[in-house]
Structure formats: C-alpha cells, structure tokens
C-alpha cells in the first residue's frame, strides 16, 4: 500500500500518526501525492526559457522578490485589473520592468493538464526563482511548498511595501528582519543584485544628488554618468549591469561593492556601514559561505506570511481569480 493511497491515509489517521504532509503549513513533500512530477516539469520549462533568454533568471528572481515583499508570496503580482476600484500591484511605479509574468502563466497551463487545480501560481513563482539561481551558477536551494494564491492585489500596498531606490541600511535591516532574517541573511539576500541590470531612472538620483557618505570609485562614477548622462533619463530603457558578471550568480557583487562599484545607493552603503561591512567582506572572499547564507535567506523570504489551507485559493489562471 503506497503512501499516497487513500487506504494509507486512512490508516495513518486511525492509528494517530501525523500524516507526512501537513495541509496547514508548507512542506517539502507537499505535492508528493497530488502532483509528483511538479518540479521536473517546472525545471524542464525553465530550461527552455533560459536557453533563449540569458536575462530570464534575473527577471524571475526579481518577480519573486516583488511578489513576496508586498503581502507575502501569494502571486498577487500576477493579477490583472478586474475593473474594480482597486488597481493591481503592477500599476505601481516600483514594479516598472517586472517581466516573465506570462511565463508563469504558461507553466501553470501545462501543470493544469498534468495536475488540474493542484499547484498554485505562488508556488510556481518560488520554484521559478530557485531554478533561476541554480541555472545561473548559484546554490541548489530546497524550498517547502503549499502556498495558496491571493484573491486581492492593490498597487497602494506595493507602493508602501516595496523598498525605495534610496533605502538606507537601517531600513534594509528592518525590512528583512520582518521576514525573520538575521543581519547576515539580510546582506545575503541583497546579493541577488549579482544578477541583472539597473535602470538609469533608479540610479540617477545618486549620481546627480550624491550623499555625503557615498562610496563610489571615481572612474566608476564617470562610467555611470556616461551611461546615464541626464538627471531625468531620456528613456525608461537605459540600463547598467549590476556587476561585471550580470548573468552569473556569484559573489562578484560583493567584490565590486568593496571596490566602490556599487550600482545602487544601498550597494555602496553596506560596504561602509560598520554593521554590514564585515559581512560584505566575508561574502566577497568566501562564495560558498555566501551561497549557504543566501539559501537560508531565500527560504525565509519565500516562506514568510504565505497563505495556506483555509486562506487563498489555487487559481486556474494566474492572472485572474477563480469565478465559481
């Protein structure tokens, strides 16, 4: 009698042994019975995306961060307008250039054929992000599953919850402490900046209204001004790589930051703040340790304030709530 058979479940309940999958919370084997091929399917689809778009890993990682930071990892960022008075999160200017939402929807459509009504869009976002880290050379992270999808999405919550471009170190620490992260994990999770690019609209203020405690190499500042020559960018699509290896998940970000080549204000700040500078130096010389701490931070970020049984739903389509 297999562990997923109804008779086994009944036997477990009758003899008083806790069943392996606790529906009231996340679990590493959550889909063992309901969708056993889930991670294999997601991995295969993600590989196809990565091979045709080298920037995709950064996009999926950013998508998860922006989803989780607002009202927990609940796929609220995927909802489109329902013509109600509440505009969805994507209306927020802080979600500028969020990409790959449609790819999550496509993967969901495949999973609906394999396991109809079982896998949440929130779990797909989390799995896509962890595959992005691994494919790019980062750690292989195991995450618990069982998130449910929200039935709400509000741009005002995104405006209030997503970090501002000029976030200070103490604000960063507070933000991630609310997700259960310690100081090291807070500096590790920002290491996700090792992937992707920054848009001029998000760095112009630090170039043309510099802070007195900024730490930017003179030559690098000149490079940034060349890439972003005006206080108000001429277009929204001018960008600068986050570090010199923008498609590889490594610890180059921390090395660059120590050399005064931090792209964002917070990047420069963590290299000089006495609370965080020792951590930055440690991560810069020990990539394995960075990977270890990042993995822990990733699990916490993707597992905090999630919806589980009794809350939320499993959407049939990721961009709209279910209509019964």
């Amino acid at each position: 009698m297999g562990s997923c058979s109804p008779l086994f479940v009944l036997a477990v309940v009758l003899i008083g042994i806790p069943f392996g999958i606790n529906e009231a919370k996340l679990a590493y084997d959550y889909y063992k019975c309901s969708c056993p091929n889930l991670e294999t399917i997601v991995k295969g689809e993600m590989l196809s995306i990565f091979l045709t778009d080298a920037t995709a890993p950064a996009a999926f990682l950013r998508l998860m961060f922006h989803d989780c930071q607002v009202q927990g990892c609940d796929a609220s960022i995927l909802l489109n307008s329902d013509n109600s008075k509440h505009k969805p999160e994507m209306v927020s200017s802080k979600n500028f250039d969020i990409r790959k939402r449609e790819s999550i929807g496509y993967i969901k459509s495949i999973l609906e054929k394999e396991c109809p009504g079982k896998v949440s869009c929130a779990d797909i976002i989390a799995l896509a992000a962890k595959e992005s880290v691994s494919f790019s050379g980062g750690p292989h992270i195991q995450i618990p599953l069982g998130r449910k999808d929200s039935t709400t999405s509000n741009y005002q919550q995104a405006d209030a919850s997503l970090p501002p471009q000029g976030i200070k170190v103490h604000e960063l620490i507070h933000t991630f402490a609310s997700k259960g992260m310690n100081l090291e994990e807070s500096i590790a999770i920002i290491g996700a900046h090792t992937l992707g690019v920054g848009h001029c609209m998000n760095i112009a203020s630090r170039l043309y209204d510099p802070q007195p405690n900024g730490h930017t190499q003179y030559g690098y500042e000149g490079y940034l001004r060349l890439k972003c020559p005006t206080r108000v960018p001429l277009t929204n699509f001018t960008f600068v790589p986050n570090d010199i290896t923008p498609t590889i998940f490594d610890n180059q970000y921390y090395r660059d930051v120590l050399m005064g080549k931090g792209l964002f204000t917070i990047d420069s700040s963590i290299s000089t703040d006495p609370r965080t500078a020792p951590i930055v130096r440690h991560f810069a010389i020990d990539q394995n340790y960075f990977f270890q701490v990042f993995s822990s931070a990733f699990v916490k970020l993707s597992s905090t304030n999630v919806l589980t049984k009794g809350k939320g739903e499993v959407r049939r389509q990721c961009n709209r709530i279910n209509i019964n």
Side-chain angles (χ1 to χ4, degrees), residues 294-319:
F294 179 87
S295 297
S296 175
F298 185 98
V299 172
K300 288 183 178 180
L301 175 64
S302 63
S303 304
T304 305
N305 299 327
V306 298
L307 302 174
T308 53
K309 186 180 181 183
K311 299 179 180 179
E313 64 181 11
V314 175
R315 293 185 208 137
R316 290 185 287 272
Q317 296 182 53
C318 288
N319 63 348

Side-chain angles (χ1 to χ4, degrees), residues 80-290:
N80 292 334
S81 174
D82 59 0
N83 297 316
S84 71
K85 63 180 180 179
H86 297 299
K87 297 179 181 178
E89 289 174 25
M90 281 302 296
V91 173
S92 171
S93 61
K94 291 183 178 179
N95 279 324
F96 166 75
D97 201 39
I98 285 291
R99 299 186 296 122
K100 299 303 180 184
R101 295 165 71 240
E102 73 290 342
S103 297
I104 300 296
Y106 173 72
I107 295 172
K108 169 66 173 177
S109 69
I110 294 174
L111 289 168
E112 279 297 292
K113 297 175 184 177
E114 176 82 8
C115 321
K118 299 298 182 183
V119 182
S120 69
C121 302
D123 275 344
I124 299 172
I125 290 176
L127 288 170
K130 79 141 187 159
E131 291 298 332
S132 296
V133 172
S134 175
F135 178 83
S136 303
H140 297 269
I141 307 170
Q142 296 301 314
I143 59 171
L145 301 169
R147 299 162 189 78
K148 294 297 186 286
D149 300 323
S150 73
T151 56
T152 61
S153 178
N154 191 317
Y155 81 98
Q156 292 174 321
Q157 280 188 281
D159 283 343
S161 302
L162 290 169
Q165 61 187 31
I167 187 172
K168 304 295 192 295
V169 173
H170 72 275
E171 295 171 327
L172 175 84
I173 294 171
H174 175 76
T175 295
F176 291 123
S178 69
K179 305 295 183 184
M181 296 184 205
N182 60 31
L183 183 57
E184 273 196 323
E185 289 166 334
S186 298
I187 302 307
I189 201 68
I190 200 175
H193 282 177
T194 189
L195 291 179
V197 300
H199 288 266
C200 287
M201 62 182 294
N202 290 326
I203 61 176
S205 61
R206 70 165 302 202
L207 290 176
Y208 298 102
D209 299 299
Q211 299 299 311
N213 61 346
H215 171 54
T216 305
Q217 184 190 78
Y218 181 77
Y220 185 65
E221 182 176 345
Y223 164 73
L224 293 181
R225 287 177 179 269
L226 183 64
K227 299 288 287 187
C228 307
T230 57
R231 183 186 298 270
V232 178
L234 300 178
T235 76
N236 288 335
F237 301 104
T238 49
F239 58 83
V240 183
N242 284 0
D243 66 21
I244 62 172
T245 57
T247 61
I248 300 174
F249 195 98
D250 54 19
N251 65 341
Q252 185 63 48
Y253 162 77
Y254 297 102
R255 298 177 191 172
D256 283 359
V257 163
L258 288 177
M259 292 188 293
K261 297 180 179 180
L263 184 58
F264 301 103
T265 301
I266 189 62
D267 300 334
S268 296
S269 299
I270 62 172
S271 69
T272 57
D273 189 287
R275 294 166 294 182
T276 57
I279 301 171
V280 172
R281 289 194 292 269
H282 193 169
F283 289 162
I285 63 175
D286 191 340
Q287 179 168 279
N288 288 335
Y289 187 67
F290 162 52

Side-chain angles (χ1 to χ4, degrees), residues 5-21:
S5 72
L7 289 177
F8 177 83
V9 175
L10 179 61
V12 168
V13 173
L14 288 176
I15 63 177
I17 300 174
F19 187 45
I21 301 176

